[in-house]
Amino acid sequence: LCNSPRRVHFAHALDLYTEMNENAITPSVHTYSILLDGCAKKLLYEQGQQIWNDMQQNEHITLDTVVWNSILKLHCFNTKMDAAERCYDDMQNKALLAPDNYTFATLLNGYSCCIGKALKQHMKDVDVEEYLIRAVNVFYDAV
């Protein structure tokens, strides 16, 4: 799995991103979104966080709902729901962007993953009921 073709291709994408930075080539918002989505899917949380930090420091980039959804996906795929909730709040209150259907679906999927993981592993320190309540609140925000 570590050397699967998809993982190798994404490693090349990350290398190209590094090369772009070394050559002072400014990535587009689309490039950043693709990299964040890839980091989410490959569970490369720290690398995704670094890309997000780079993007926020780039004054040529306007963070839109698509980009915010990408960082939200990074948090959710890595079952970091507290970070996802902070991101969701920042999206609305700091960036002044309205969530869309994808935003809500991403959050609900994240809660679902957390609940499934907790049940599968019989995790006693995880409050499944809390995740259910949080998921219901997201659902009501969406409607």
Side-chain angles (χ1 to χ4, degrees):
L1 182 65
C2 287
N3 292 323
S4 71
R6 288 184 180 176
R7 185 165 292 274
V8 170
H9 288 295
F10 189 68
H12 290 309
L14 290 173
D15 290 342
L16 285 172
Y17 172 69
T18 300
E19 189 176 326
M20 289 174 75
N21 286 331
E22 289 170 353
N23 291 306
I25 298 170
T26 303
S28 69
V29 69
H30 186 69
T31 301
Y32 280 121
S33 292
I34 290 169
L35 290 169
L36 285 172
D37 285 343
C39 287
K41 290 176 186 173
K42 304 299 180 201
L43 301 177
L44 299 171
Y45 189 76
E46 289 77 21
Q47 287 171 301
Q49 279 293 116
Q50 183 58 54
I51 291 167
W52 173 249
N53 292 338
D54 293 349
M55 184 173 26
Q56 288 183 304
Q57 293 174 7
N58 186 334
E59 68 268 2
H60 303 290
I61 298 295
T62 301
L63 303 178
D64 59 10
T65 303
V66 172
V67 175
W68 279 93
N69 285 341
S70 293
I71 190 64
L72 191 64
K73 185 193 312 185
L74 179 73
H75 295 310
C76 289
F77 274 36
N78 285 274
T79 61
K80 299 194 181 291
M81 296 311 296
D82 290 337
E85 288 177 9
R86 283 190 302 276
C87 178
Y88 174 70
D89 289 340
D90 288 348
M91 176 184 175
Q92 294 176 91
N93 300 319
K94 291 182 180 176
L96 304 176
L97 294 169
D100 60 13
N101 289 339
Y102 190 82
T103 308
F104 294 116
T106 301
L107 284 169
L108 290 171
N109 186 52
Y111 289 120
S112 175
C113 288
C114 288
I115 292 166
K117 181 178 176 183
L119 293 174
K120 184 177 180 181
Q121 297 177 356
H122 304 290
M123 298 170 72
K124 297 186 182 359
D125 61 333
V126 175
D127 187 359
V128 172
E129 185 177 339
E130 177 188 340
Y131 282 124
L132 286 170
I133 291 169
R134 288 159 75 176
V136 168
N137 289 336
V138 167
F139 174 76
Y140 283 121
D141 279 351
V143 289

